[in-house]
Amino acid sequence: MKIKALYFARYREVLGVDAERLEGDFKVLDDVRQALLAKGGVYAVLAEQNLMCARNEELCRLDEPVEDGDELAFFPPVTGG
Amino acid sequence: MGVRVQQAAFDPGAEVNAMHAANVGVGAVVGFVGYVRDFNDGREVAGMFLEHYPGMTEKALAKIVVEAEQRWPLLKVEVLHRIGALEPGEPIVFVGVASAHRQAAFDACNFIMDYLKTRAPFWKKENTQEGPRWVEGKQSDQEAAGRW
């Protein structure tokens, strides 16, 4: 399965990239996060308790099922308004 | 219903007036305008940059407006949020709600702002004297959104 991961705001800065493609056997969004955490180093930012995520431009939880071709996003709590 | 995400400045007074738009069924208009402050969390703020998630931002705002329209009898809703570089004193967000009676307009406007602050993918980065810093999400905003 191939997915695209996007990062925003502080996470984008910490990771040094705004997007990357990943391939693996993912069932839910947290599987993707765990694969990223396993890379070590700066990816530890994705372990933050208040991390937010989205699947195909919709907010979701970490137990959201994922499918091939999905656009996933990880970001810190939003601060608009 | 209208959702706009734009860099350009806007005129809050004109936005409020447009909420009535010659619709004589409108008995109440509530408009909220959020401005960039020059001080936040103990530091002077010289300006800020608003990052967002193009595509998701518009969808998230539209979803919030649809939910408000399902909860209250509304005649018109407008949400406008700016992105990019902003200076203190500049308007950053506008939420306008028109309805027949005031309570629905007050409540829906409040609801939309509470949800926007916790569900719309915007992030503020402030320029302070000690350098740039990302604004942290507030627990009080989560609690405010939780009451609906």
Side-chain angles (χ1 to χ4, degrees):
Chain A
M1 178 192 293
K2 289 179 183 172
I3 61 95
K4 186 178 180 186
L6 306 184
Y7 312 116
F8 290 94
R10 184 165 48 81
Y11 291 2
R12 174 178 52 73
E13 286 187 347
V14 169
L15 296 173
V17 290
D18 57 8
E20 64 184 306
R21 291 181 190 280
L22 288 170
E23 196 164 351
D25 182 21
F26 310 121
K27 287 187 174 56
V28 295
L29 204 139
D30 197 45
D31 296 337
V32 176
R33 189 178 70 112
Q34 294 301 334
L36 291 164
L37 285 170
K39 291 187 179 199
V42 291
Y43 282 93
V45 74
L46 299 179
E48 288 185 2
Q49 284 288 314
N50 56 9
L51 167 139
M52 290 179 75
C53 52
R55 175 180 173 234
N56 298 329
E57 302 184 341
E58 293 249 12
L59 280 187
C60 67
R61 301 190 326 183
L62 287 166
D63 60 2
E64 175 84 2
V66 293
E67 289 179 21
D68 188 50
D70 276 353
E71 176 180 293
L72 309 178
F74 297 98
F75 41 86
V78 299
T79 55
Chain B
M1 181 246 276
V3 167
R4 285 169 283 168
V5 178
Q6 65 186 49
Q7 160 93 68
F10 64 90
D11 176 351
E15 293 294 335
V16 170
N17 287 334
M19 292 307 297
H20 189 271
N23 181 348
V24 291
V26 170
V29 169
V30 170
F32 172 81
V33 184
Y35 293 90
V36 180
R37 285 181 301 144
D38 65 355
F39 197 83
N40 186 37
D41 206 10
R43 286 193 201 156
E44 282 185 30
V45 175
M48 66 165 61
F49 189 89
L50 252 145
E51 179 172 332
H52 77 127
Y53 180 173
M56 178 175 166
T57 312
E58 294 81 356
K59 280 188 193 174
L61 293 175
K63 194 174 170 184
I64 294 167
V65 171
V66 166
E67 194 164 341
E69 288 173 334
Q70 287 168 348
R71 291 180 182 222
W72 294 277
L74 309 178
L75 295 169
K76 187 175 167 75
V77 181
E78 290 288 328
V79 177
L80 193 171
H81 205 298
R82 293 180 67 195
I83 50 172
L86 296 168
E87 292 180 3
E90 286 196 77
I92 178 170
V93 60
F94 173 77
V95 173
V97 179
S99 59
H101 304 286
R102 74 184 185 284
Q103 208 60 56
F106 272 126
D107 289 350
C109 189
N110 217 353
F111 164 86
I112 291 168
M113 273 310 299
D114 282 348
Y115 268 40
L116 183 155
K117 286 191 88 82
T118 50
R119 292 164 197 223
F122 294 101
W123 300 273
K124 289 176 182 146
K125 191 175 193 181
E126 296 174 335
N127 301 318
T128 73
Q129 286 175 326
E130 290 159 54
R133 67 171 178 188
W134 290 101
V135 173
E136 301 276 335
K138 289 198 194 83
Q139 184 57 33
S140 57
D141 286 336
Q142 294 295 331
E143 285 160 11
R147 69 196 158 125
W148 304 102

